[in-house]
């Protein structure tokens, strides 16, 4: 089965500094990778996805992610973090057929951006 | 014009009771999902329906029964509630495989 790992439970950055949230994946076929964000007491919101094509994927709210096949990573990045980016971030991977409707999520990384 | 809505938002009930959570999406999507998020925020798929057909049925106690009366609705019925069922349950929908999922606001279930 496909899986993702988020090695950091928490990431703390100062406002205006670059933000990186790490994700590594393990797949048997082509990776279909996603990033979601969850604000307190809210549902998850889609940020971006990688299916094929450019290794640098741009998403919502100024976020982007870099797909690296050799390092099996899909790190989420933002050049200049805002206090409002403080939230819980999930990396997810799609399963292979015939279970390809299923997403498996990482454990989540809590991001705190201090003013 | 909420995309994915769930009712109720909060549900407090006693052990042994039976309860239902309703979900509706107005996005025209073909696929709907139920997830459980535990107290450590770990998110796990429970069920998925595509065009009213059950396509994902994870290892979930058979006290949990999903029902999809049409493509826009997916309900979750839980029998004989247990303390361990306390969690936040999220409904989601997507066009089909490979497409991003849109999540509802969640239903916080507390079993006492």
């Amino acid at each position: 089965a496909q899986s993702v790992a988020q090695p950091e439970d928490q990431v703390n950055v100062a406002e205006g500094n670059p933000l990186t949230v790490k994700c590594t994946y393990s797949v048997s076929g082509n990776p279909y990778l996603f990033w979601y964000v969850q604000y307190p007491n809210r549902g998850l919101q889609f940020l971006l996805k990688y299916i094929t094509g450019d290794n640098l994927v741009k998403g919502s709210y100024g976020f982007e992610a870099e797909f690296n096949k050799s390092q099996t990573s899909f790190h989420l990045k933002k050049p200049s973090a805002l206090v409002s980016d403080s939230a819980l971030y999930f990396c997810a991977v799609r399963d292979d057929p015939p279970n390809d409707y299923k997403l498996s999520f990482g454990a989540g990384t809590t991001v705190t951006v201090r003013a | 014009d909420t995309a994915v809505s769930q009712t109720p938002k909060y549900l407090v009930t006693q052990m042994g009771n039976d309860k239902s959570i309703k979900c509706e999406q107005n996005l025209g999507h073909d696929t709907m999902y139920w997830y459980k998020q535990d107290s450590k925020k770990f998110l796990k798929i429970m069920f998925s329906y595509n065009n009213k057909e059950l396509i994902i049925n994870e290892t979930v106690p058979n006290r949990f029964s999903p029902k999809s009366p049409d493509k826009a609705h997916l309900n979750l019925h839980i029998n004989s509630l247990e303390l361990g069922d306390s969690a936040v349950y999220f409904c989601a929908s997507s066009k089909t495989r490979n497409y991003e999922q849109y999540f509802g606001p969640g239903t916080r279930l507390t079993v006492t």
Side-chain angles (χ1 to χ4, degrees), chain A residues 18-21 35 48 56 62-66 75-79:
Chain A
L19 169 62
T20 298
V21 187
W35 274 104
L48 50 80
L56 187 63
F63 283 94
E64 57 189 29
E66 187 171 4
H75 299 333
L76 182 70
K77 301 182 180 187
K78 187 169 185 181

Side-chain angles (χ1 to χ4, degrees), chain A residues 23-27 29-35 48-58 64-77 93:
Chain A
C23 174
T24 57
Y25 65 88
S26 174
V27 301
N30 293 322
Y32 287 58
L33 298 159
F34 300 79
W35 274 104
L48 50 80
K49 66 182 178 186
Y50 173 84
I51 294 180
T52 187
D54 287 341
N55 290 340
L56 187 63
V57 180
K58 293 194 183 298
E64 57 189 29
E66 187 171 4
F67 174 72
N68 187 316
K69 189 172 182 178
S70 63
Q71 297 186 3
T72 62
S73 67
F74 188 56
H75 299 333
L76 182 70
K77 301 182 180 187
V93 63

Side-chain angles (χ1 to χ4, degrees), chain A residues 5-53:
Chain A
Q6 295 180 241
E8 299 163 320
D9 290 337
Q10 294 215 353
V11 170
N12 298 308
V13 298
E15 189 172 36
N17 281 1
L19 169 62
T20 298
V21 187
K22 295 180 181 176
C23 174
T24 57
Y25 65 88
S26 174
V27 301
S28 52
N30 293 322
Y32 287 58
L33 298 159
F34 300 79
W35 274 104
Y36 288 83
V37 60
Q38 184 179 23
Y39 298 101
N41 299 314
R42 302 281 296 275
L44 278 71
Q45 293 180 32
F46 168 75
L47 283 177
L48 50 80
K49 66 182 178 186
Y50 173 84
I51 294 180
T52 187

Side-chain angles (χ1 to χ4, degrees), chain A residues 36 38 49 94 100 102, chain B residues 37 58 97-98 100-101:
Chain A
Y36 288 83
Q38 184 179 23
K49 66 182 178 186
R94 193 206 72 175
D100 51 347
K102 179 184 169 185
Chain B
Q37 186 173 46
E58 290 293 281
R97 56 172 71 83
N98 299 341
E100 57 271 23
Q101 296 179 17

